[in-house]
Amino acid sequence: MADRITSRCPCACCRVRGLMGPLILIALGAIFLADQFTRFTFGDLWPILLIVAGAVKCAASLSSRTGHAGV
Ligand SMILES: [Zn+2]
């Protein structure tokens, strides 16, 4: 177990940080959907990406690093 110090750290902080990519993709998809089907355009909604990224950063910094593997 201890020899797996690659990207698979089990601590809460690293797991939350791992959600950044998927959440950005989900937000991007939702924004393009809204662009397509509502009167809002991508130009109106792009700041949602910053909000999602900031929220993930906040959650990661508040998460426990107990059991953190690696630097
Ligand atoms: Zn970690």
Side-chain angles (χ1 to χ4, degrees):
M1 299 280 185
D3 53 320
R4 294 194 61 207
I5 300 181
T6 49
S7 60
R8 283 280 155 238
C9 174
C11 82
C13 177
C14 292
R15 278 185 288 141
V16 169
R17 265 195 292 178
L19 290 175
M20 176 75 87
L23 284 176
I24 293 284
L25 286 177
I26 290 168
L28 203 54
I31 289 172
F32 280 123
L33 266 181
D35 188 307
Q36 210 54 222
F37 296 111
T38 69
R39 65 188 177 81
F40 297 106
T41 65
F42 185 83
D44 298 325
L45 298 173
W46 69 266
I48 289 174
L49 295 175
L50 297 181
I51 294 168
V52 169
V56 173
K57 284 275 186 194
C58 287
S61 62
L62 293 174
S63 300
S64 162
R65 288 172 74 86
T66 307
H68 180 69
V71 193

